[in-house]
Amino acid sequence: MNQAKDSESKIKSKSMGTISPSSKPISISLLLLLLHHPKRIESLAPNPQPKNQQSKTPSILRKLRSHIPSNYPFSLPWYEKGLQFSCTGCGKCCRVDGDVWLSPEEIPRIMHFLEENHDSNNDSLSLKKFRERYVKAEIFSPDCHDNEDAEALTSQTWMCLKREEGACIFLDRSSNKCGIYDVRPVQCRTYPFWPSLLESPDDWFGEAVVPDDVEIIEDVDVEGGPLGQLRYWSPELGGCEGIGFDGRYERENENDGLNDGDDKNALNPMQEQVEIVAREEIMAKMKAAKRHWKRFPIQEIKESSWFL
């Protein structure tokens, strides 16, 4: 009898690990309750939090979900505690091989921004001029091709930006910054928090690259994530310097002011500047990127050359 109880108290799965009594497995009935009555579960809290404090304190629902093993339905995302990311301003995401597609509603905003914030060359920027200067391809319905009314075009046209000297046409070469940063496309605004990069830790850390002036020490194990081979950025493979992870690097630049006896942990420039992005912000950007990608009308392009 005791052996039967012991076997029932431990469930083994190749893909999901071992669930013991200490991990407090969730029953099927409770999973259904989580799915269909989340508000009722919240009402069971002994001291309900005011609305302005709810985001700071884990809800009962999230606490219950935290006991569900990963890969099970309703489990918390693997990035529940946030992710290390801080833009370094390297501008490499603007130089990667690939296309940037503007959704219909983004076109008028960018046109207006160019008229208001750039030189006189963009005064009274017509749709025709915008196409000629900045667009290499577009998807539109035949009856709107010659339409100069941006609002009439809003619900019909997607435009693909030109590249210039191996970079997005809006990259300012003098400052190495986006020339339309305040109204940059959703595709750019949400990177690197794209659905394809958040599917697993492998996908996320696989996007991380080491700055060009940092030497990779091959014999040092990298902690903090299931990383593959550390690598540098390239136009073909892309990558993001701002994605942080534990590891040790050695600057190739001799002018960094570091001596041979300095602590090697201090040689990690990514650790010095990386911030933690909260789950809420991660999910908001991921969902925005997913909606943007799903709306794109040509499935063949989404499957072959453009995915988020």
Side-chain angles (χ1 to χ4, degrees), residues 82-138:
L83 291 172
Q84 289 185 327
F85 170 75
S86 180
C87 179
T88 63
C90 66
K92 290 178 178 176
C93 56
C94 305
R95 294 189 174 92
V96 69
D97 290 345
D99 294 328
V100 175
W101 284 93
L102 305 180
S103 63
E105 64 272 14
E106 291 176 314
I107 298 166
R109 284 203 298 268
I110 293 175
M111 290 175 59
H112 178 73
F113 181 85
L114 292 171
E115 290 177 346
E116 295 291 325
N117 297 277
H118 286 248
D119 57 31
S120 58
N121 291 331
N122 286 313
D123 288 344
S124 301
L125 182 64
S126 67
L127 188 56
K128 182 178 180 181
K129 290 181 180 178
F130 182 81
R131 282 180 179 137
E132 291 173 350
R133 293 176 187 172
Y134 305 111
V135 177
K136 72 172 183 179
E138 57 185 304

Side-chain angles (χ1 to χ4, degrees), residues 10-20 23 69-72:
K10 185 177 291 185
I11 304 170
K12 293 185 178 180
S13 170
K14 289 184 179 179
S15 61
M16 300 169 189
T18 300
I19 309 171
S20 63
S23 63
S70 60
N71 299 328
Y72 271 87

Side-chain angles (χ1 to χ4, degrees), residues 5-160:
K5 288 184 179 179
D6 290 341
S7 62
E8 291 177 0
S9 66
K10 185 177 291 185
I11 304 170
K12 293 185 178 180
S13 170
K14 289 184 179 179
S15 61
M16 300 169 189
T18 300
I19 309 171
S20 63
S22 61
S23 63
K24 301 178 182 178
I26 303 299
S27 67
I28 298 297
S29 59
L30 182 53
L31 289 177
L32 293 175
L33 184 63
L34 291 174
L35 177 62
H36 296 293
H37 302 286
K39 291 184 179 179
R40 186 174 180 180
I41 293 177
E42 294 289 351
S43 68
L44 298 176
N47 297 305
Q49 296 289 329
K51 288 185 177 181
N52 61 350
Q53 297 181 14
Q54 286 180 356
S55 61
K56 300 179 182 180
T57 306
S59 65
I60 288 184
L61 182 59
R62 300 200 74 80
K63 287 181 178 179
L64 290 172
R65 290 178 62 193
S66 69
H67 294 287
I68 305 176
S70 60
N71 299 328
Y72 271 87
F74 315 121
S75 62
L76 294 174
W78 65 270
Y79 48 83
E80 173 67 13
K81 296 182 179 180
L83 291 172
Q84 289 185 327
F85 170 75
S86 180
C87 179
T88 63
C90 66
K92 290 178 178 176
C93 56
C94 305
R95 294 189 174 92
V96 69
D97 290 345
D99 294 328
V100 175
W101 284 93
L102 305 180
S103 63
E105 64 272 14
E106 291 176 314
I107 298 166
R109 284 203 298 268
I110 293 175
M111 290 175 59
H112 178 73
F113 181 85
L114 292 171
E115 290 177 346
E116 295 291 325
N117 297 277
H118 286 248
D119 57 31
S120 58
N121 291 331
N122 286 313
D123 288 344
S124 301
L125 182 64
S126 67
L127 188 56
K128 182 178 180 181
K129 290 181 180 178
F130 182 81
R131 282 180 179 137
E132 291 173 350
R133 293 176 187 172
Y134 305 111
V135 177
K136 72 172 183 179
E138 57 185 304
I139 300 171
F140 55 89
S141 86
D143 58 350
C144 72
H145 183 263
D146 297 323
N147 196 335
E148 292 295 330
D149 184 353
E151 292 190 6
L153 185 76
T154 296
S155 63
Q156 303 176 69
T157 303
W158 288 72
M159 295 186 178
C160 185

